[in-house]
């Protein structure tokens, strides 16, 4: 055949003939099928066929004339000319020799798969899917095409998609000539995802560029709704290093709403509501997630770069398939790392998924359809139900994007990453709750996407890693928010000295653990207030029959995300340190928490863990740690006991841990040094714990006898006070005597460089800092160490 080649004869070197998409498909089929990766078979129409079609129809000169003096910023004129070109192409006839080849190849597919085989028809431009340009969704794909006549008409529709408004605009922006690019067309056997599910895989975290994870996302039915952002899909993270070692390395599972799905109807593809039981369920089993992740790693290894992969599950055969793979194009080009920080707070209008880590602000402009695009001005914040490729001319002039629907691999997410602007997607109600023309701030800096009322102040700081000094003292980081961990791990550090469970419990769970432990008892209570709590718990935990498993799983996933980000460096996880008033604020908390006049000095930390009133709740934390270490393989996780007042308490806590499966010999256990008794009896504490971490906030409070939250005496609170420093000197000395690790995770060294120098002088092993202080203090510590070692 002159114009058609089967996938098994196409390689990744054939981009000039078949475009990036089809060259990649051929590369996949001929090289990876033999490794057990399922790729549907098919054929590709070469770019030469497109050139022949344009020439035979006499279209080149007409198109050149229509685009000669185009002002791409004139949205109305761009739409008019694009529509005229597409009309001409759809009316033109395919040359007879091309038609015969297409019909012959389709007949071959019918022999393999049956009469009127259903096929997917994909556009593949010769400059598409290159590392320097993503062309995300620029050219059209058509699904469930059956019969020769329908296929021939669809080929012309693919050719016409080379001149959609967004494709014309994109090429103009990137400096591509409209005739330097030709179109190849791929024809593959359809995977019946309409009866199952489909989605996208990145072999790199799409937000941070963290390359040790596979990010997999998907929804019920055909994959177009995921790409369009019409559904909020399920999302899964799999950790590559421990997946290679054979662990069930799924470190996060996030259930999407998935209310809509695309299926085949009597007249083409139709959108249907997803039944409630399917919407609440995950689309894939753990085994299927692991299989796709392993395939993704194979594909990444074959190509030698980060990849963006499409997958589908056939609902008839139950088999999984890879239907596309292309180079990831955003993070492969990152050259710097910027930290954004909101300097003031305001009223939160909506929340959703954060895309990127930036902050943007401007006048909100609600756009409901393509016809309203002319009203959009540069610097406005685009607010929409969802976006599609037709909207790209205004997306690139927006200061930020907010959508009702969509997941992290939808069109709005892909384009906002490439453009480098913040986006908050999947908010549910943005177009209703945000006021048109109102001033708003879009914040993606904290891992959760928030839209605030008003123009709030923020700062951007560039962090350079060009010259990172080495230090004998470990420079670690305090991390609370799992969603920020992948990004923060790019700052050179020696691990995490303090991972707080409180944020994970607050943001990911929001329910008092004892309300889950005693859920069955609460269900039969006759109290109206308790029944309202039960209803809310049921709503939050609908996917879990075992409510305790909800707590354990979500806690484990939060811990795992931080542990994976800094693997294989140590991540020291502090068991929960809520006070009674803080626990009471959780759903159901008022049923279990006493009223205390001074919660700061009350029932907190170690005293809870062995207490019968909380022991089972502490067991959930132990099981979460056990799951992270033993099932996910993240053995870099160590644990830390806060507010342990007495040596006897420490012994009781360790015994309780062992009762819940955390064996003392298998895991390092640290104790917070934040109570004067920890210092006075440091040698005794050193005999039962593997190390200390100084909590300078509480230690200062209790050494100086003041309430650190009181404005009246706040001027007296100072970690640099001589009494506090002597306490620290004493505990470091005791730790060294018994060969125990000693670090600090309190605020002081982040705020006061001279305090960091003092710690180095005392021989502390590690200093754990706020992320924004890591680079500055690392340089100070390196200089201090140099001075200490240099001859006097």
């Amino acid at each position: 055949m002159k114009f058609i080649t089967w996938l098994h004869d196409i390689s990744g070197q054939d981009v000039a003939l078949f475009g990036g998409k089809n060259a990649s498909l051929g590369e996949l089929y001929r090289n990876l099928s033999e490794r057990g990766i399922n790729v549907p078979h098919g054929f590709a129409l070469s770019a030469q066929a497109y050139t022949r079609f344009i020439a035979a129809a006499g279209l080149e000169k007409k198109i050149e004339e229509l685009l000669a003096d185009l002002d791409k910023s004139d949205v109305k004129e761009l739409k008019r000319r694009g529509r005229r070109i597409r009309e001409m192409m759809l009316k033109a006839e395919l040359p007879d020799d091309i038609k015969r080849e297409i019909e012959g190849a389709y007949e071959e597919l019918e022999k393999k798969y049956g009469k009127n085989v259903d096929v997917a028809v994909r556009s593949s431009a010769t400059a598409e899917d290159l590392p320097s340009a993503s062309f995300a969704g620029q050219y059209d794909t058509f699904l469930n095409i059956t019969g020769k006549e329908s296929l021939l008409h669809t080929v012309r529709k693919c050719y016409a998609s080379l001149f959609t408004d967004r494709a014309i605009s994109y090429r103009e922006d990137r400096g591509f000539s409209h005739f330097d690019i030709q179109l190849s067309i791929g024809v593959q056997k359809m995977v019946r995802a309409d009866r199952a599910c489909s989605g996208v895989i990145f072999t790199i975290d799409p937000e941070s560029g963290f390359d040790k994870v596979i990010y997999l996302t998907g929804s019920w039915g055909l994959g177009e709704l995921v790409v369009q952002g019409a559904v909020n899909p399920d999302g899964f993270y799999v950790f590559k290093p421990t997946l290679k070692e054979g662990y069930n390395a799924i470190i996060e599972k996030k259930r999407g709403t998935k209310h809509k799905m695309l299926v085949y109807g009597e007249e083409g593809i139709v959108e249907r509501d997803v039944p409630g039981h399917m919407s609440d369920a995950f689309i894939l089993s753990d085994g299927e997630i692991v299989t796709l992740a392993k395939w993704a790693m194979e594909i990444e290894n074959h190509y030698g770069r980060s990849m963006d992969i499409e997958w589908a599950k056939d609902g008839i055969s139950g088999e999984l398939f890879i239907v596309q793979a292309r180079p990831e194009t955003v993070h492969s080009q990152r050259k710097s790392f910027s930290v954004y920080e909101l300097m003031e707070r305001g009223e939160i209008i909506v929340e959703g998924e954060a895309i990127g880590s930036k902050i943007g602000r401007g006048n909100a402009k609600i756009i409901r359809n393509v016809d309203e695009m002319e009203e959009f001005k540069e610097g406005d914040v685009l607010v929409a139900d969802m976006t599609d490729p037709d909207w790209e001319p205004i997306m690139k002039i927006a200061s930020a994007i907010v959508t009702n629907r969509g997941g992290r691999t939808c069109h709005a997410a892909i384009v906002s990453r490439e453009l480098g602007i913040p986006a908050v997607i999947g908010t549910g109600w943005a177009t209703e709750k945000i006021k048109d023309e109102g001033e708003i701030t879009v914040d993606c800096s904290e891992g959760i996407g928030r839209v605030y009322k008003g123009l709030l102040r923020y700062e951007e700081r560039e962090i350079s890693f060009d010259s990172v000094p080495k230090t004998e003292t470990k420079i670690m980081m305090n991390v609370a928010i799992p969603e920020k961990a992948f990004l923060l791990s790019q700052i050179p550090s020696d691990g995490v000295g303090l991972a707080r469970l409180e944020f994970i419990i607050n943001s990911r769970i929001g329910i008092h653990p004892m309300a889950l432990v005693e859920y069955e008892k609460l269900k039969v209570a006759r109290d109206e207030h308790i029944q309202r709590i039960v209803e809310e718990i049921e709503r939050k935990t609908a996917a879990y029959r075992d409510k305790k498993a909800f707590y354990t799983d979500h806690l484990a996933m939060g811990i795992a995300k931080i542990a994976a980000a800094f693997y294989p460096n140590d991540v020291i996880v502090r068991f929960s340190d809520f006070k009674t008033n803080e626990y009471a604020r959780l759903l159901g908390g008022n049923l279990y928490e006493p009223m205390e006049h001074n919660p700061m000095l009350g029932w907190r930390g170690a005293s809870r863990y062995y207490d019968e009133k909380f022991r089972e709740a502490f067991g959930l934390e132990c099981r979460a740690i056990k799951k992270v270490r033993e099932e996910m393989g993240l053995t870099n996780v160590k644990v830390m006991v806060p507010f342990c007042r007495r040596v006897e308490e420490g012994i009781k806590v360790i015994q309780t841990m062992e009762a819940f499966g955390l064996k003392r010999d298998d895991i390092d256990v640290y104790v917070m040094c934040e109570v004067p008794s920890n210092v006075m009896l440091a040698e005794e504490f050193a005999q039962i714990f593997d190390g200390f971490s100084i909590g300078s906030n509480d230690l200062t409070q209790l050494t100086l006898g003041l309430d650190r939250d009181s404005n009246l005496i706040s001027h007296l609170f100072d970690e640099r006070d001589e009494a506090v420093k002597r306490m620290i000197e004493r505990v470091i000395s005791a730790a060294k005597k018994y060969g125990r690790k000693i670090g600090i995770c309190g605020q002081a060294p982040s705020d006061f460089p001279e305090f960091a120098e003092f710690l180095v002088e005392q021989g502390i092993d590690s200093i754990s800092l706020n992320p924004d202080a890591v680079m500055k203090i690392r340089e100070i510590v390196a200089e201090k160490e140099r001075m200490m070692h240099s001859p006097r």
Side-chain angles (χ1 to χ4, degrees), residues 83 130 199 221 228 370 374 434 502 624 677 707 770:
R83 183 171 58 247
L130 300 181
Q228 292 169 6
V370 177
E374 295 167 34
I434 294 173
E502 295 82 41
S677 60
D707 179 354
N770 297 337

mmCIF file of all heavy atoms in Angstrom, residues 83 130 199 221 228 370 374 434 502 624 677 707 770:
data_model
loop_
_atom_site.group_PDB
_atom_site.id
_atom_site.type_symbol
_atom_site.label_atom_id
_atom_site.label_comp_id
_atom_site.label_asym_id
_atom_site.label_seq_id
_atom_site.Cartn_x
_atom_site.Cartn_y
_atom_site.Cartn_z
ATOM 1 N N ARG A 83 -13.952 28.452 10.300
ATOM 2 C CA ARG A 83 -15.161 27.748 9.870
ATOM 3 C C ARG A 83 -15.196 27.592 8.352
ATOM 4 O O ARG A 83 -15.540 26.538 7.821
ATOM 5 C CB ARG A 83 -16.391 28.505 10.361
ATOM 6 C CG ARG A 83 -17.710 27.805 10.032
ATOM 7 C CD ARG A 83 -18.888 28.466 10.719
ATOM 8 N NE ARG A 83 -19.016 29.869 10.351
ATOM 9 C CZ ARG A 83 -18.827 30.886 11.195
ATOM 10 N NH1 ARG A 83 -18.489 30.646 12.463
ATOM 11 N NH2 ARG A 83 -18.966 32.131 10.786
ATOM 12 N N LEU A 130 5.369 16.395 20.462
ATOM 13 C CA LEU A 130 6.813 16.534 20.564
ATOM 14 C C LEU A 130 7.154 17.096 21.935
ATOM 15 O O LEU A 130 6.332 17.765 22.562
ATOM 16 C CB LEU A 130 7.335 17.475 19.473
ATOM 17 C CG LEU A 130 7.047 17.035 18.025
ATOM 18 C CD1 LEU A 130 7.636 18.046 17.065
ATOM 19 C CD2 LEU A 130 7.645 15.664 17.748
ATOM 20 N N GLY A 199 -9.097 6.350 31.088
ATOM 21 C CA GLY A 199 -8.497 7.545 31.664
ATOM 22 C C GLY A 199 -7.087 7.793 31.165
ATOM 23 O O GLY A 199 -6.709 7.363 30.077
ATOM 24 N N GLY A 221 -16.911 4.788 31.613
ATOM 25 C CA GLY A 221 -17.232 5.053 30.217
ATOM 26 C C GLY A 221 -16.039 5.494 29.388
ATOM 27 O O GLY A 221 -14.879 5.333 29.779
ATOM 28 N N GLN A 228 -12.030 16.210 28.675
ATOM 29 C CA GLN A 228 -12.784 17.472 28.591
ATOM 30 C C GLN A 228 -12.929 18.141 29.952
ATOM 31 O O GLN A 228 -13.121 19.343 30.047
ATOM 32 C CB GLN A 228 -14.190 17.210 28.033
ATOM 33 C CG GLN A 228 -14.221 16.780 26.575
ATOM 34 C CD GLN A 228 -15.597 16.283 26.177
ATOM 35 O OE1 GLN A 228 -16.561 16.363 26.947
ATOM 36 N NE2 GLN A 228 -15.706 15.773 24.968
ATOM 37 N N VAL A 370 -18.706 29.351 23.909
ATOM 38 C CA VAL A 370 -17.693 29.929 23.020
ATOM 39 C C VAL A 370 -18.104 31.305 22.512
ATOM 40 O O VAL A 370 -17.266 32.181 22.287
ATOM 41 C CB VAL A 370 -17.440 28.967 21.829
ATOM 42 C CG1 VAL A 370 -16.442 29.564 20.847
ATOM 43 C CG2 VAL A 370 -16.916 27.642 22.337
ATOM 44 N N GLU A 374 -15.551 36.781 23.300
ATOM 45 C CA GLU A 374 -15.124 38.129 22.900
ATOM 46 C C GLU A 374 -15.169 39.112 24.073
ATOM 47 O O GLU A 374 -14.505 40.153 24.043
ATOM 48 C CB GLU A 374 -16.026 38.635 21.766
ATOM 49 C CG GLU A 374 -15.889 37.810 20.488
ATOM 50 C CD GLU A 374 -17.008 38.123 19.499
ATOM 51 O OE1 GLU A 374 -17.454 39.287 19.455
ATOM 52 O OE2 GLU A 374 -17.429 37.206 18.769
ATOM 53 N N ILE A 434 -19.371 32.510 42.342
ATOM 54 C CA ILE A 434 -18.474 33.638 42.059
ATOM 55 C C ILE A 434 -19.250 34.703 41.286
ATOM 56 O O ILE A 434 -19.955 34.403 40.330
ATOM 57 C CB ILE A 434 -17.242 33.171 41.244
ATOM 58 C CG1 ILE A 434 -16.391 32.217 42.094
ATOM 59 C CG2 ILE A 434 -16.397 34.358 40.792
ATOM 60 C CD1 ILE A 434 -15.240 31.569 41.343
ATOM 61 N N GLU A 502 -1.945 15.954 62.584
ATOM 62 C CA GLU A 502 -3.161 16.744 62.823
ATOM 63 C C GLU A 502 -3.771 17.283 61.526
ATOM 64 O O GLU A 502 -4.996 17.279 61.351
ATOM 65 C CB GLU A 502 -2.859 17.921 63.767
ATOM 66 C CG GLU A 502 -2.460 17.518 65.168
ATOM 67 C CD GLU A 502 -0.984 17.154 65.241
ATOM 68 O OE1 GLU A 502 -0.161 17.854 64.615
ATOM 69 O OE2 GLU A 502 -0.667 16.160 65.910
ATOM 70 N N ALA A 624 -2.238 2.492 60.707
ATOM 71 C CA ALA A 624 -1.902 3.305 59.523
ATOM 72 C C ALA A 624 -0.394 3.289 59.283
ATOM 73 O O ALA A 624 0.065 3.114 58.142
ATOM 74 C CB ALA A 624 -2.399 4.737 59.712
ATOM 75 N N SER A 677 10.565 17.702 82.331
ATOM 76 C CA SER A 677 10.891 16.355 82.820
ATOM 77 C C SER A 677 11.657 15.548 81.778
ATOM 78 O O SER A 677 12.462 14.671 82.119
ATOM 79 C CB SER A 677 9.620 15.606 83.233
ATOM 80 O OG SER A 677 8.745 15.481 82.119
ATOM 81 N N ASP A 707 2.041 31.163 79.117
ATOM 82 C CA ASP A 707 1.123 30.707 78.084
ATOM 83 C C ASP A 707 1.527 31.391 76.771
ATOM 84 O O ASP A 707 1.383 32.606 76.636
ATOM 85 C CB ASP A 707 -0.316 31.066 78.466
ATOM 86 C CG ASP A 707 -1.329 30.639 77.402
ATOM 87 O OD1 ASP A 707 -0.895 30.172 76.321
ATOM 88 O OD2 ASP A 707 -2.532 30.781 77.646
ATOM 89 N N ASN A 770 11.026 25.056 58.824
ATOM 90 C CA ASN A 770 9.957 25.380 57.896
ATOM 91 C C ASN A 770 10.544 25.389 56.486
ATOM 92 O O ASN A 770 11.697 25.792 56.292
ATOM 93 C CB ASN A 770 9.357 26.750 58.201
ATOM 94 C CG ASN A 770 8.720 26.795 59.576
ATOM 95 O OD1 ASN A 770 8.336 25.760 60.125
ATOM 96 N ND2 ASN A 770 8.636 27.983 60.148
#
